[in-house]
Amino acid sequence: DIPQNTNLLRIFCGGNQLSNLNLSQNILLNMLSCRSNQLTSLDVTQNLNLIHLECASNQLINLSLNNNTLLKVLGFHNNQISTIDVSNLTQLEYLGFNSNQLSNLDITSNTLLEVLQCDNNQLTNLNTLNNTSLASISCSSNLFTHLDFSHLQLLNSIWFENNPNLIS
């Protein structure tokens, strides 16, 4: 039972059939990888020390991260999330959420962001003016009409295939 192990710093529990994960007593936790399970919800509001969160390939419909201000790595690919607030995650360096249902994303406060992976969503706009640390962007299969990355001097790779509304 994970809640009884209050000294845990890292939990790797991917590839199981977990439908519930109680982390409320694991306040020291700094790394969680729970990908490839059957989680429909994930409560990390008590895990203030989280630096790395990987919860890809679950059935999550929302994810509240307002308390997780130390996060540097956040990956929630292959879920059903349609909205997320990452404005408090000012330490974020990696953000990956391919194959979700997001139509809007505000990353203006994520100034340390180096890698952004947002393929296969419903995004129409991506404001990267404040994200001058970005080195890699993958934003294929969205609904963008315009993309401007000319201000990103560190950018060394970009993917933006299959954006049918994109005007050059």
Side-chain angles (χ1 to χ4, degrees):
D1 193 5
I2 292 175
Q4 303 306 316
N5 301 102
T6 58
N7 290 326
L8 287 175
L9 298 177
R10 292 177 284 288
I11 297 175
F12 300 88
C13 57
N16 291 294
Q17 299 293 315
L18 297 177
S19 59
N20 185 31
L21 189 57
N22 181 352
L23 304 168
S24 61
Q25 302 301 310
N26 304 102
I27 59 172
L28 300 178
L29 193 65
N30 62 34
M31 183 173 193
L32 173 63
S33 178
C34 58
R35 62 182 167 197
S36 300
N37 280 291
Q38 296 179 3
L39 299 172
T40 56
S41 65
L42 181 62
D43 184 354
V44 291
T45 56
Q46 302 303 312
N47 310 108
L48 306 182
N49 293 313
L50 268 182
I51 294 172
H52 184 120
L53 174 59
E54 172 61 53
C55 54
S57 300
N58 278 285
Q59 299 168 17
L60 300 174
I61 56 173
N62 62 41
L63 189 58
S64 177
L65 302 167
N66 292 334
N67 296 347
N68 307 101
T69 58
L70 300 180
L71 272 177
K72 291 185 177 192
V73 174
L74 173 60
F76 58 96
H77 304 289
N78 302 314
N79 278 285
Q80 301 166 19
I81 295 175
S82 60
T83 181
I84 191 157
D85 181 0
V86 293
S87 60
N88 284 353
L89 309 181
T90 57
Q91 303 302 307
L92 206 57
E93 296 172 2
Y94 169 88
L95 176 58
F97 58 94
N98 294 343
S99 300
N100 275 276
Q101 299 173 7
L102 280 115
S103 58
N104 188 26
L105 177 69
D106 182 356
I107 55 171
T108 54
S109 63
N110 310 109
T111 58
L112 301 179
L113 199 60
E114 296 174 6
V115 177
L116 176 63
Q117 295 178 332
C118 58
D119 297 332
N120 197 24
N121 277 278
Q122 300 166 12
L123 297 171
T124 58
N125 184 35
L126 188 60
N127 180 351
T128 58
L129 288 176
N130 294 348
N131 309 102
T132 55
S133 296
L134 273 171
S136 176
I137 299 174
S138 182
C139 58
S140 297
S141 300
N142 278 282
L143 302 172
F144 295 114
T145 57
H146 178 73
L147 290 172
D148 181 6
F149 302 126
S150 59
H151 58 283
L152 300 176
Q153 301 302 310
L154 300 178
L155 194 62
N156 60 44
S157 62
I158 182 169
W159 293 269
F160 60 94
E161 299 99 352
N162 301 318
N163 279 284
N165 301 323
L166 194 61
I167 300 170
S168 58

